[in-house]
Coordinates of all heavy atoms in Angstrom, one line a residue:
M204 N -137.7 48.1 -36.3 CA -136.9 47.0 -36.8 C -136.9 47.0 -38.3 O -138.0 47.1 -39.0 CB -137.5 45.6 -36.3 CG -137.0 45.3 -34.9 SD -135.3 44.9 -35.0 CE -135.2 43.3 -34.1
I205 N -135.8 46.7 -38.9 CA -135.7 46.7 -40.4 C -135.7 45.2 -40.8 O -135.0 44.4 -40.3 CB -134.4 47.3 -40.9 CG1 -134.3 48.8 -40.4 CG2 -134.3 47.3 -42.4 CD1 -133.0 49.4 -40.6
P206 N -136.6 44.9 -41.7 CA -136.7 43.6 -42.3 C -135.3 43.2 -42.9 O -134.7 44.0 -43.6 CB -137.8 43.6 -43.3 CG -138.6 44.9 -43.0 CD -137.6 45.8 -42.3
P207 N -134.9 42.0 -42.7 CA -133.6 41.5 -43.2 C -133.4 41.8 -44.7 O -132.3 42.0 -45.1 CB -133.5 40.0 -42.9 CG -134.8 39.7 -42.2 CD -135.6 40.9 -42.0
L208 N -134.5 41.7 -45.4 CA -134.4 41.9 -46.9 C -133.8 43.2 -47.3 O -133.0 43.3 -48.2 CB -135.7 41.7 -47.5 CG -135.9 40.4 -48.3 CD1 -137.3 40.3 -48.9 CD2 -134.9 40.2 -49.4
L209 N -134.2 44.2 -46.5 CA -133.8 45.6 -46.9 C -132.3 45.9 -46.6 O -131.7 46.8 -47.1 CB -134.7 46.6 -46.2 CG -136.1 46.6 -46.7 CD1 -136.9 47.6 -46.0 CD2 -136.2 46.9 -48.2
T210 N -131.8 45.0 -45.7 CA -130.4 45.3 -45.3 C -129.4 44.6 -46.3 O -128.2 45.0 -46.3 CB -130.1 44.7 -43.9 OG1 -130.3 43.3 -43.9 CG2 -131.0 45.4 -42.9
E211 N -129.9 43.7 -47.1 CA -129.1 43.1 -48.0 C -129.0 43.8 -49.4 O -130.0 44.4 -49.7 CB -129.6 41.6 -48.3 CG -129.1 40.7 -47.2 CD -129.7 39.3 -47.4 OE1 -130.0 39.0 -48.6 OE2 -129.9 38.6 -46.5
E212 N -127.9 43.7 -50.0 CA -127.8 44.3 -51.3 C -128.6 43.5 -52.3 O -128.5 42.3 -52.4 CB -126.4 44.4 -51.8 CG -126.2 45.4 -52.9 CD -124.7 45.5 -53.2 OE1 -123.9 44.9 -52.5 OE2 -124.4 46.1 -54.2
V213 N -129.4 44.2 -53.1 CA -130.2 43.5 -54.1 C -129.4 43.2 -55.3 O -128.7 44.1 -55.8 CB -131.4 44.4 -54.5 CG1 -132.2 43.7 -55.6 CG2 -132.3 44.8 -53.3
M214 N -129.4 42.0 -55.7 CA -128.7 41.5 -56.8 C -129.6 41.2 -58.0 O -130.2 40.2 -58.0 CB -127.9 40.3 -56.4 CG -126.7 40.0 -57.3 SD -125.3 41.0 -57.1 CE -124.0 39.8 -57.0
P215 N -129.7 42.1 -58.9 CA -130.6 41.8 -60.0 C -130.0 40.8 -61.0 O -128.8 40.6 -61.1 CB -130.6 43.2 -60.8 CG -129.4 43.9 -60.4 CD -129.0 43.4 -59.0
T216 N -130.9 40.1 -61.6 CA -130.5 39.1 -62.6 C -130.8 39.6 -64.0 O -131.9 39.9 -64.3 CB -131.2 37.8 -62.3 OG1 -131.0 37.4 -61.0 CG2 -130.8 36.7 -63.3
Y217 N -129.8 39.6 -64.8 CA -129.9 40.0 -66.2 C -130.0 38.8 -67.1 O -129.4 37.8 -66.8 CB -128.8 40.9 -66.6 CG -128.7 42.2 -65.9 CD1 -127.9 42.3 -64.8 CD2 -129.4 43.3 -66.3 CE1 -127.8 43.5 -64.1 CE2 -129.4 44.5 -65.6 CZ -128.6 44.6 -64.5 OH -128.5 45.8 -63.8
V218 N -130.8 38.9 -68.1 CA -130.9 37.8 -69.1 C -130.2 38.2 -70.4 O -130.4 39.3 -70.9 CB -132.4 37.5 -69.3 CG1 -132.5 36.4 -70.3 CG2 -133.1 37.2 -68.0
Y219 N -129.4 37.3 -70.8 CA -128.7 37.5 -72.0 C -129.0 36.4 -73.0 O -129.2 35.3 -72.6 CB -127.2 37.5 -71.8 CG -126.7 38.7 -71.0 CD1 -126.6 38.7 -69.6 CD2 -126.3 39.9 -71.7 CE1 -126.2 39.8 -68.9 CE2 -125.8 41.0 -71.0 CZ -125.8 40.9 -69.6 OH -125.3 42.0 -68.9
R220 N -128.9 36.8 -74.3 CA -129.1 35.7 -75.3 C -127.9 35.7 -76.2 O -127.4 36.7 -76.6 CB -130.3 36.1 -76.1 CG -130.7 35.0 -77.1 CD -131.9 35.5 -77.9 NE -132.1 34.6 -79.0 CZ -132.9 33.6 -78.9 NH1 -133.5 33.3 -77.8 NH2 -133.1 32.8 -80.0
C221 N -127.4 34.5 -76.4 CA -126.2 34.3 -77.2 C -126.6 34.3 -78.7 O -127.5 33.6 -79.1 CB -125.5 33.1 -76.9 SG -124.0 32.8 -77.9
G222 N -126.0 35.2 -79.5 CA -126.3 35.3 -80.9 C -125.7 34.1 -81.7 O -126.1 33.9 -82.8
D223 N -124.9 33.3 -81.0 CA -124.2 32.3 -81.7 C -124.9 30.9 -81.5 O -125.3 30.3 -82.5 CB -122.8 32.1 -81.2 CG -121.8 32.1 -82.3 OD1 -122.1 32.7 -83.4 OD2 -120.7 31.6 -82.2
C224 N -125.1 30.6 -80.3 CA -125.8 29.3 -80.0 C -127.2 29.5 -79.6 O -127.9 28.5 -79.3 CB -125.0 28.5 -79.0 SG -125.0 29.3 -77.4
E225 N -127.6 30.7 -79.5 CA -129.0 31.1 -79.2 C -129.4 30.6 -77.8 O -130.6 30.4 -77.5 CB -130.0 30.5 -80.2 CG -129.7 31.1 -81.6 CD -130.9 31.0 -82.5 OE1 -131.6 30.1 -82.4 OE2 -131.0 31.8 -83.4
Q226 N -128.4 30.4 -77.0 CA -128.7 30.0 -75.6 C -129.1 31.2 -74.8 O -128.5 32.3 -75.0 CB -127.5 29.3 -75.0 CG -127.8 28.4 -73.9 CD -126.6 27.7 -73.4 OE1 -126.2 27.9 -72.3 NE2 -126.0 26.8 -74.2
T227 N -130.0 31.1 -73.9 CA -130.3 32.2 -73.0 C -129.7 31.9 -71.7 O -129.9 30.9 -71.1 CB -131.9 32.3 -72.9 OG1 -132.4 32.4 -74.2 CG2 -132.2 33.5 -72.1
I228 N -129.0 32.9 -71.2 CA -128.4 32.7 -69.9 C -128.8 33.8 -68.9 O -129.2 34.9 -69.4 CB -126.8 32.7 -70.0 CG1 -126.3 34.0 -70.5 CG2 -126.4 31.6 -70.9 CD1 -124.9 34.2 -70.3
E229 N -128.7 33.5 -67.7 CA -129.0 34.6 -66.7 C -127.7 34.9 -65.9 O -126.9 34.0 -65.6 CB -130.0 34.0 -65.7 CG -131.4 33.9 -66.4 CD -132.4 33.4 -65.4 OE1 -132.1 33.2 -64.2 OE2 -133.6 33.2 -65.8
A230 N -127.5 36.1 -65.7 CA -126.3 36.5 -64.9 C -126.7 37.5 -63.8 O -127.4 38.4 -64.0 CB -125.3 37.2 -65.9
M231 N -126.2 37.1 -62.6 CA -126.4 38.0 -61.5 C -125.3 39.1 -61.5 O -124.2 38.8 -61.4 CB -126.3 37.2 -60.2 CG -127.4 36.2 -60.1 SD -128.6 36.5 -58.7 CE -127.5 36.1 -57.3
Q232 N -125.8 40.3 -61.6 CA -124.8 41.4 -61.6 C -125.3 42.5 -60.8 O -126.5 42.8 -60.6 CB -124.6 41.9 -63.1 CG -124.0 40.8 -64.0 CD -123.8 41.5 -65.3 OE1 -124.7 41.8 -66.1 NE2 -122.5 41.7 -65.6
R233 N -124.3 43.2 -60.3 CA -124.7 44.5 -59.6 C -125.0 45.5 -60.7 O -124.6 45.4 -61.8 CB -123.5 45.0 -58.7 CG -123.3 44.1 -57.5 CD -121.9 44.4 -57.0 NE -121.4 43.3 -56.3 CZ -121.6 43.1 -55.0 NH1 -122.2 43.9 -54.3 NH2 -121.1 42.0 -54.4
F234 N -125.6 46.6 -60.2 CA -126.0 47.6 -61.2 C -124.7 48.2 -61.7 O -124.7 48.8 -62.8 CB -126.8 48.7 -60.5 CG -128.2 48.3 -60.2 CD1 -128.6 48.0 -59.0 CD2 -129.1 48.1 -61.3 CE1 -129.9 47.6 -58.7 CE2 -130.4 47.7 -61.1 CZ -130.8 47.4 -59.8
S235 N -123.6 48.2 -60.9 CA -122.4 48.8 -61.3 C -121.5 47.9 -62.2 O -120.5 48.4 -62.8 CB -121.6 49.3 -60.1 OG -121.5 48.2 -59.2
D236 N -121.9 46.7 -62.3 CA -121.1 45.7 -63.1 C -121.3 46.0 -64.6 O -122.3 46.5 -65.0 CB -121.5 44.3 -62.8 CG -120.9 43.8 -61.6 OD1 -120.0 44.5 -61.0 OD2 -121.3 42.7 -61.1
R237 N -120.2 45.8 -65.3 CA -120.3 45.9 -66.8 C -121.1 44.8 -67.4 O -121.0 43.6 -66.9 CB -118.9 46.0 -67.4 CG -118.3 47.3 -67.2 CD -116.9 47.3 -67.9 NE -116.1 46.3 -67.3 CZ -114.9 46.0 -67.8 NH1 -114.4 46.7 -68.8 NH2 -114.1 45.1 -67.2
P238 N -121.9 45.1 -68.4 CA -122.7 44.0 -69.0 C -121.8 43.0 -69.6 O -120.7 43.3 -70.1 CB -123.6 44.7 -70.0 CG -122.9 46.0 -70.3 CD -122.1 46.4 -69.0
L239 N -122.3 41.8 -69.7 CA -121.6 40.7 -70.4 C -121.6 40.9 -71.9 O -122.5 41.4 -72.4 CB -122.2 39.3 -70.0 CG -122.2 39.0 -68.5 CD1 -122.9 37.7 -68.3 CD2 -120.8 38.9 -68.0
R240 N -120.5 40.5 -72.5 CA -120.4 40.7 -73.9 C -120.3 39.3 -74.6 O -120.7 39.1 -75.8 CB -119.2 41.5 -74.3 CG -119.4 43.0 -73.9 CD -119.9 43.8 -75.1 NE -120.1 45.2 -74.7 CZ -119.1 46.1 -74.9 NH1 -117.9 45.8 -75.4 NH2 -119.3 47.4 -74.6
K241 N -119.6 38.4 -73.9 CA -119.2 37.2 -74.6 C -119.8 36.0 -73.8 O -119.7 35.9 -72.6 CB -117.7 37.1 -74.6 CG -117.1 36.3 -75.7 CD -115.6 36.5 -75.7 CE -114.9 35.6 -76.7 NZ -113.4 35.8 -76.7
H242 N -120.3 35.1 -74.6 CA -120.7 33.8 -74.0 C -119.6 32.9 -73.7 O -118.8 32.6 -74.6 CB -121.7 33.1 -75.0 CG -122.4 31.9 -74.4 ND1 -122.9 31.0 -75.2 CD2 -122.6 31.6 -73.1 CE1 -123.5 30.0 -74.4 NE2 -123.3 30.4 -73.1
K243 N -119.4 32.6 -72.4 CA -118.3 31.9 -72.0 C -118.1 30.5 -72.7 O -117.1 30.0 -72.9 CB -118.4 31.6 -70.4 CG -117.6 32.6 -69.6 CD -117.6 32.2 -68.2 CE -118.5 33.1 -67.4 NZ -118.6 32.7 -66.0
E244 N -119.3 29.9 -72.9 CA -119.2 28.5 -73.4 C -118.9 28.4 -74.9 O -118.3 27.4 -75.3 CB -120.5 27.8 -73.1 CG -120.9 27.9 -71.7 CD -122.0 26.9 -71.3 OE1 -122.4 26.1 -72.1 OE2 -122.4 27.0 -70.1
C245 N -119.3 29.4 -75.7 CA -119.0 29.2 -77.1 C -118.3 30.4 -77.7 O -117.9 30.4 -78.8 CB -120.3 29.0 -77.9 SG -121.3 30.4 -78.1
G246 N -118.2 31.5 -76.9 CA -117.5 32.6 -77.4 C -118.3 33.6 -78.3 O -117.8 34.5 -78.8
G247 N -119.6 33.2 -78.4 CA -120.5 34.1 -79.2 C -120.8 35.4 -78.4 O -120.5 35.5 -77.3
S248 N -121.4 36.3 -79.2 CA -121.7 37.6 -78.6 C -123.1 37.6 -77.9 O -124.0 37.1 -78.5 CB -121.6 38.7 -79.6 OG -122.3 38.4 -80.7
L249 N -123.1 38.2 -76.7 CA -124.3 38.2 -76.0 C -125.1 39.5 -76.2 O -124.5 40.5 -76.3 CB -124.0 38.0 -74.5 CG -123.4 36.7 -74.1 CD1 -123.0 36.7 -72.6 CD2 -124.5 35.5 -74.3
T250 N -126.4 39.3 -76.2 CA -127.2 40.5 -76.3 C -128.1 40.5 -75.0 O -128.7 39.5 -74.7 CB -128.1 40.5 -77.5 OG1 -127.3 40.2 -78.6 CG2 -128.8 41.8 -77.7
K251 N -128.2 41.6 -74.4 CA -129.1 41.7 -73.2 C -130.5 41.6 -73.6 O -131.0 42.3 -74.5 CB -128.8 43.0 -72.5 CG -129.5 43.0 -71.1 CD -129.3 44.3 -70.4 CE -128.0 44.3 -69.6 NZ -127.9 45.6 -68.8
V252 N -131.2 40.7 -73.0 CA -132.7 40.6 -73.3 C -133.4 41.5 -72.3 O -133.3 41.4 -71.1 CB -133.1 39.1 -73.1 CG1 -134.6 39.0 -73.3 CG2 -132.4 38.2 -74.0
V253 N -134.2 42.3 -72.9 CA -134.9 43.3 -72.0 C -136.3 42.7 -71.6 O -137.1 42.4 -72.4 CB -135.2 44.6 -72.8 CG1 -135.9 45.6 -71.9 CG2 -133.9 45.2 -73.2
Q254 N -136.4 42.5 -70.3 CA -137.6 42.0 -69.8 C -138.6 43.1 -69.5 O -138.3 44.3 -69.8 CB -137.3 41.2 -68.5 CG -136.3 40.2 -68.6 CD -136.9 38.9 -69.2 OE1 -138.0 38.5 -68.9 NE2 -136.1 38.2 -70.0
A255 N -139.7 42.8 -68.9 CA -140.7 43.8 -68.7 C -140.0 45.0 -68.0 O -140.3 46.2 -68.4 CB -141.8 43.2 -67.8
A256 N -139.3 44.8 -67.0 CA -138.7 45.9 -66.2 C -137.2 46.0 -66.5 O -136.5 46.7 -65.9 CB -138.9 45.7 -64.7
G257 N -136.7 45.2 -67.4 CA -135.3 45.2 -67.8 C -134.5 44.3 -66.9 O -133.4 43.9 -67.2
V258 N -135.0 44.0 -65.7 CA -134.3 43.2 -64.8 C -135.3 42.2 -64.1 O -136.4 42.5 -63.9 CB -133.7 44.2 -63.7 CG1 -133.2 43.3 -62.5 CG2 -132.7 45.1 -64.2
V259 N -134.8 41.1 -63.8 CA -135.6 40.1 -63.2 C -135.1 39.9 -61.8 O -133.9 39.6 -61.5 CB -135.5 38.7 -63.9 CG1 -136.3 37.7 -63.2 CG2 -136.0 38.9 -65.3
F260 N -136.0 40.1 -60.8 CA -135.6 39.9 -59.5 C -136.0 38.6 -59.0 O -137.2 38.3 -59.0 CB -136.2 41.0 -58.6 CG -135.5 42.3 -58.8 CD1 -136.1 43.3 -59.6 CD2 -134.3 42.6 -58.1 CE1 -135.5 44.5 -59.8 CE2 -133.8 43.9 -58.3 CZ -134.3 44.8 -59.2
K261 N -135.0 37.8 -58.6 CA -135.3 36.4 -58.1 C -136.0 36.5 -56.8 O -135.6 37.4 -56.0 CB -134.1 35.6 -58.0 CG -133.4 35.3 -59.4 CD -134.0 34.1 -60.0 CE -133.3 33.7 -61.3 NZ -133.9 32.6 -61.9
G262 N -136.9 35.7 -56.6 CA -137.5 35.7 -55.2 C -138.8 36.5 -55.1 O -139.6 36.2 -54.2
S263 N -138.9 37.4 -56.0 CA -140.1 38.3 -55.9 C -141.2 37.8 -56.8 O -141.8 38.5 -57.6 CB -139.8 39.7 -56.2 OG -139.2 39.8 -57.4
G264 N -141.4 36.5 -56.9 CA -142.4 35.9 -57.7 C -141.7 35.4 -59.0 O -140.8 35.9 -59.5
Y265 N -142.3 34.3 -59.5 CA -141.7 33.7 -60.7 C -142.3 34.4 -61.9 O -143.4 34.7 -62.0 CB -142.0 32.2 -60.7 CG -141.3 31.5 -61.8 CD1 -140.0 31.2 -61.6 CD2 -142.0 31.0 -62.9 CE1 -139.3 30.5 -62.6 CE2 -141.3 30.3 -63.9 CZ -140.0 30.1 -63.7 OH -139.3 29.4 -64.7
Y266 N -141.4 34.6 -62.9 CA -141.9 35.3 -64.1 C -142.0 34.2 -65.2 O -141.2 33.3 -65.3 CB -140.9 36.4 -64.5 CG -139.6 35.8 -65.1 CD1 -139.4 35.7 -66.5 CD2 -138.6 35.4 -64.2 CE1 -138.2 35.3 -67.0 CE2 -137.4 34.9 -64.8 CZ -137.2 34.8 -66.1 OH -136.1 34.3 -66.6
S267 N -142.9 34.4 -66.0 CA -143.1 33.4 -67.1 C -143.7 34.1 -68.3 O -144.6 33.8 -68.9 CB -144.1 32.3 -66.6 OG -145.3 32.9 -66.3
T268 N -143.0 35.2 -68.7 CA -143.4 36.0 -69.8 C -143.0 35.4 -71.1 O -143.9 35.2 -72.0 CB -142.9 37.4 -69.7 OG1 -141.7 37.4 -68.8 CG2 -143.9 38.4 -69.2
D269 N -141.8 35.0 -71.2 CA -141.3 34.6 -72.5 C -141.1 33.1 -72.6 O -140.9 32.5 -73.6 CB -139.9 35.2 -72.7 CG -139.6 35.5 -74.1 OD1 -140.6 35.4 -74.9 OD2 -138.5 35.7 -74.5
S270 N -141.3 32.4 -71.4 CA -141.1 31.0 -71.4 C -142.5 30.3 -71.6 O -143.5 30.9 -71.6 CB -140.5 30.5 -70.1 OG -141.2 31.0 -69.1
R271 N -142.4 29.0 -71.9 CA -143.6 28.3 -72.1 C -144.4 28.3 -70.8 O -143.9 28.3 -69.7 CB -143.2 26.8 -72.4 CG -143.4 26.5 -73.9 CD -142.4 25.5 -74.3 NE -141.3 26.1 -75.0 CZ -140.8 25.5 -76.1 NH1 -141.2 24.4 -76.5 NH2 -139.8 26.1 -76.7
T272 N -145.7 28.2 -71.0 CA -146.6 28.2 -69.8 C -146.3 26.9 -69.0 O -146.4 25.8 -69.6 CB -148.1 28.2 -70.2 OG1 -148.1 28.5 -71.6 CG2 -148.8 29.2 -69.4
P273 N -146.0 27.1 -67.8 CA -145.9 25.9 -66.9 C -147.2 25.3 -66.7 O -148.2 25.9 -67.0 CB -145.3 26.5 -65.6 CG -145.7 28.0 -65.6 CD -145.9 28.3 -67.1
D274 N -147.2 24.1 -66.1 CA -148.4 23.4 -65.8 C -149.4 24.3 -65.1 O -149.2 24.8 -64.0 CB -148.1 22.2 -65.0 CG -147.4 21.1 -65.8 OD1 -146.8 21.4 -66.8 OD2 -147.5 19.9 -65.4
T275 N -150.4 24.6 -65.7 CA -151.4 25.5 -65.1 C -152.2 24.7 -64.1 O -152.9 23.7 -64.5 CB -152.4 26.1 -66.2 OG1 -152.4 25.2 -67.3 CG2 -152.0 27.5 -66.5
A276 N -152.1 25.1 -62.9 CA -152.8 24.5 -61.7 C -153.7 23.3 -62.1 O -154.9 23.5 -62.4 CB -153.5 25.5 -60.9
S277 N -153.1 22.2 -62.2 CA -153.9 21.0 -62.6 C -154.2 20.2 -61.4 O -153.3 19.6 -60.8 CB -153.2 20.2 -63.7 OG -152.0 19.8 -63.2
D278 N -155.5 20.1 -61.0 CA -155.8 19.2 -59.9 C -156.4 18.0 -60.5 O -157.5 17.9 -60.9 CB -156.8 19.9 -58.9 CG -157.2 21.3 -59.3 OD1 -156.3 22.1 -59.1 OD2 -158.3 21.5 -59.7
S279 N -155.5 17.0 -60.5 CA -156.0 15.7 -61.1 C -156.4 14.7 -60.1 O -156.2 14.9 -58.9 CB -154.9 15.2 -62.0 OG -153.7 15.2 -61.4
Ligands
ZN304 ZN1 -123.2 30.8 -77.0

């Protein structure tokens, strides 16, 4: 039996940063898709943010490399 996960196409999430408004956006793209160039909201130019592996896979654990540390297990 093949686990359902392997039968689905993996959709990697790329992270882009807008050089204009400095907003960080995530875009789900296939490997064959062309990279985004333009920020839809402001028209600024996007730069791909390279993560640890270049790609962030949703669902395979939450990443928190560049973001603020979330609440560290606080048992109050
Ligand atoms: Zn922008």
Side-chain angles (χ1 to χ4, degrees):
M204 275 294 228
I205 302 169
L208 252 180
L209 292 180
T210 61
E211 279 176 28
E212 196 175 352
V213 178
M214 197 76 132
T216 304
Y217 295 94
V218 180
Y219 292 89
R220 188 185 169 88
C221 177
D223 232 24
C224 66
E225 300 201 331
Q226 204 178 114
T227 304
I228 61 165
E229 292 181 0
M231 294 245 290
Q232 294 186 291
R233 288 164 208 270
F234 286 109
S235 52
D236 279 351
R237 281 183 300 176
L239 300 177
R240 289 262 180 94
K241 205 171 175 183
H242 189 200
K243 260 188 258 174
E244 304 195 5
C245 76
S248 51
L249 292 173
T250 312
K251 192 184 270 184
V252 177
V253 181
Q254 304 279 325
V258 171
V259 177
F260 288 98
K261 293 273 186 184
S263 57
Y265 190 72
Y266 72 100
S267 58
T268 17
D269 212 13
S270 52
R271 255 153 258 219
T272 347
D274 289 21
T275 22
S277 55
D278 357 289
S279 43

